[in-house]
Amino acid sequence: MGIFTNFAPEPTSIMNRLNTIERTVILAAVMAFYACAGSPPTPPARLPDSEIPAYREAAHKLARYIVMEDSSFHLTITEDSAARLGIPGKYFKRAEQELEYTNYLIHEEYNKKGIPVEMPEYNTDSLPRP
């Protein structure tokens, strides 16, 4: 070895400089990130039978505000506007969850296979009243 290399610090990685607790925290954060990043949405839990008629009525009102863009369904109404129509927040959030899950299924079953998806034409006035 030369004169100048005897005093050079040994190369160390960042992980070697961290203590065990810091390493554990970083590892847990990385694992949590990967666990959340790739998980598919899940369908909402089944409603109690007593809530089904009220949710059906809310879904009927929201049907007017569903559009399809890029093979995905979206609501064109905000939660505040839906509340002014008499739709409880929990039913609005449930409708959003159902659309998210539906969009996931469309992507997995149709878009990946190259099958086009079209929104059917219907008139919400013709839908049966709950």
Side-chain angles (χ1 to χ4, degrees):
M1 291 207 200
I3 295 176
F4 298 108
T5 57
N6 288 339
F7 300 105
E10 291 186 31
T12 58
S13 72
I14 292 173
M15 288 305 282
N16 288 342
R17 294 180 191 169
L18 299 176
N19 66 36
T20 305
I21 294 173
E22 291 169 330
R23 287 181 190 180
T24 305
V25 169
I26 290 172
L27 180 61
V30 169
M31 288 174 59
F33 172 76
Y34 281 112
C36 294
S39 62
T42 57
R46 179 165 162 52
L47 281 173
D49 289 344
S50 60
E51 290 189 43
I52 291 174
Y55 180 69
R56 190 174 292 146
E57 183 178 339
H60 180 76
K61 290 178 184 177
L62 289 173
R64 301 174 193 278
Y65 303 97
I66 297 175
V67 297
M68 179 176 255
E69 294 174 1
D70 301 325
S71 296
S72 295
F73 292 103
H74 305 279
L75 283 171
T76 60
I77 188 172
T78 64
E79 186 173 353
D80 291 337
S81 297
R84 287 193 291 274
L85 292 174
I87 299 169
K90 68 179 182 177
Y91 294 151
F92 181 84
K93 287 181 176 77
R94 182 181 180 85
E96 285 185 321
Q97 282 182 303
E98 288 181 357
L99 289 176
E100 179 184 7
Y101 186 67
T102 299
N103 290 336
Y104 167 75
L105 292 176
I106 288 170
H107 176 72
E108 292 298 309
E109 296 299 321
Y110 291 93
N111 293 350
K112 281 188 174 179
K113 296 175 184 174
I115 302 169
V117 178
E118 296 177 8
M119 185 167 176
E121 292 293 326
Y122 65 92
N123 182 349
T124 56
D125 294 330
S126 66
L127 292 174
R129 280 292 197 196

